[in-house]
Amino acid sequence: MERQAILRAEGVSKGYLEARGAGLVALEDLSLDIWEGEFLCLIGASGCGKTTLLNIFAGFIEPTRGRVLLRGKPILGIEPRCGMVFQSYALFPWKTVRGNVEFGPKMKGAGRAERRQIAQRYIDMVKLRGFEGRYPYELSGGMQQRVTLARALAADPEVLLMDEPFAALDAMTRQVMQEELLRIHEESQKTVVFITHNIDEALILADRIVVLSARPGRVKSILTNDLPRPRHVTIQLSPEYARLKSEIWTHVEEEVHQHLEASRYAAAGGG
C-alpha cells in the first residue's frame, strides 16, 4: 500500500514583484511530501524560500503556480489545521499564560471549563505549571516560547509549522528547548515542519532533513536521519553524527556560496 502524505507540495512556484518593479522568484517547481507524525526540518541558505513555503502551507499566501494539499485536498485559504509558531513569540501581552493558551479553544467555541482543561494540559506539557497567571513581560524568552508552543498545540492543529522558533534564544536555553520539543513531539505525535539554519539543530530534531537550493528554492536533497531516539546533545559525539553533519554540509555549502555570490552581484549593481 502506497504511503499517503498528510501535507504535499506539487510543483509549487512563488514569485514577487519588488518595489523597483523587478521580479523575484522565491520558489520554483518545488515538490515535497510530508508524512503524518514525522518531524521534518527544512534547511538552506538565507533567502531560499523556506519561510515562503511555510506560509504557503499555512494558507497565508498562495503559490504563483502549483498547489499544496492537506490530506489530499487543496489549501485555498488560511488553514486552521496547520498551526504556526514564529521566531517572535507573538503572544497577546494583555493576556496571561492561561489566557494565551486558551485562545485557540475559545475560537473553536469551547466552553470556559473545557478550554481551561485543555489549556492546563498543554501548560503542564511545556512545564509551566505555576505560571498560569503571569503575563508575557514577566517571563523569560524561553518561557515565552513555551507559551507560544502550548498555544499552538492547544488549538489542536494536524500539522505544526515552526519558523526558526529558537533562533532568538541563548545557546543553553535553545538546547533545553530542543530536548523539550522532542519530548512534546513524542507525546503529541503531531506532524512538525521546522525551519532552521542550524545543521546541529536539524540533526537533533529531525526524522528527515530537506535541503533547499539557493533562490529560487527547490528541493536539492532529502536525507533520512537514522540517529537513535531518544536523542540528547551527547549524540553529537558519535561518529554517525559527524558523518551525517559532514554529508549535510556538503549539500548546503554550495548553496551558501551561490547565495553569497548573488548578494555581492546585486550589491555591485548587477541586473
Side-chain angles (χ1 to χ4, degrees):
M1 184 176 178
E2 185 181 353
R3 192 177 187 186
Q4 296 297 309
I6 184 173
L7 198 58
R8 168 172 287 175
E10 294 182 344
V12 168
S13 297
K14 180 62 181 179
Y16 296 97
L17 190 65
E18 296 181 300
R20 61 181 182 175
L24 182 151
V25 180
L27 298 169
E28 188 169 75
D29 195 25
L30 184 148
S31 295
L32 178 65
D33 284 346
I34 297 166
W35 313 118
E36 186 158 14
E38 83 166 323
F39 199 123
L40 182 136
C41 277
L42 296 170
I43 194 166
S46 295
C48 71
K50 299 184 296 296
T51 295
T52 297
L53 180 59
L54 229 60
N55 284 331
I56 291 173
F57 280 144
F60 296 159
I61 57 176
E62 296 179 0
T64 307
R65 291 193 306 275
R67 63 178 186 166
V68 292
L69 302 98
L70 179 64
R71 297 200 181 279
K73 295 184 178 180
I75 295 174
L76 301 174
I78 294 176
E79 179 49 77
R81 291 173 295 171
C82 292
M84 183 76 91
V85 177
F86 301 95
Q87 184 180 140
S88 58
Y89 310 128
L91 296 172
F92 300 123
W94 61 90
K95 289 183 179 289
T96 62
V97 168
R98 180 181 284 115
N100 269 282
V101 180
E102 285 184 356
F103 181 75
K106 184 177 181 179
M107 291 298 99
K108 288 186 171 183
R112 184 175 180 180
E114 182 185 1
R115 65 178 183 257
R116 177 157 292 205
Q117 182 180 25
I118 293 169
Q120 194 61 54
R121 175 189 171 193
Y122 290 104
I123 289 168
D124 290 347
M125 186 178 286
V126 300
K127 297 185 178 180
L128 282 176
R129 177 178 282 271
F131 292 89
E132 292 87 346
R134 300 287 184 90
Y135 289 88
Y137 72 88
E138 299 178 288
L139 306 174
S140 68
M143 293 171 78
Q144 288 185 59
Q145 197 58 290
R146 287 171 187 258
V147 179
T148 304
L149 181 56
R151 186 176 67 180
L153 289 167
D156 196 26
E158 295 189 37
V159 180
L160 202 57
L161 306 171
M162 308 187 75
D163 190 358
E164 294 193 84
F166 306 148
L169 303 178
D170 65 83
M172 292 180 68
T173 304
R174 185 171 186 162
Q175 182 179 310
V176 169
M177 286 300 298
Q178 289 166 3
E179 293 181 1
E180 287 298 304
L181 180 57
L182 285 174
R183 177 184 59 79
I184 291 166
H185 176 248
E186 182 68 26
E187 288 182 23
S188 68
Q189 294 297 299
K190 296 290 185 187
T191 304
V192 179
V193 183
F194 188 105
I195 289 176
T196 182
H197 282 96
N198 188 300
I199 295 174
D200 289 311
E201 185 164 67
L203 282 169
I204 288 290
L205 296 174
D207 297 311
R208 288 192 300 156
I209 298 165
V210 176
V211 179
L212 297 187
S213 66
R215 183 186 303 142
R218 305 179 184 90
V219 173
K220 179 175 182 178
S221 57
I222 301 177
L223 297 96
T224 299
N225 183 1
D226 290 325
L227 292 170
R229 295 185 183 274
R231 293 182 191 147
H232 184 266
V233 68
T234 53
I235 204 167
Q236 295 176 336
L237 303 175
S238 69
E240 179 62 10
Y241 185 96
R243 186 195 66 77
L244 280 169
K245 184 173 181 178
S246 176
E247 182 178 356
I248 294 168
W249 175 243
T250 299
H251 290 275
V252 171
E253 183 180 20
E254 181 182 346
E255 305 308 319
V256 172
H257 286 306
Q258 185 175 329
H259 169 72
L260 290 174
E261 286 300 317
S263 298
R264 291 191 192 103
Y265 181 68

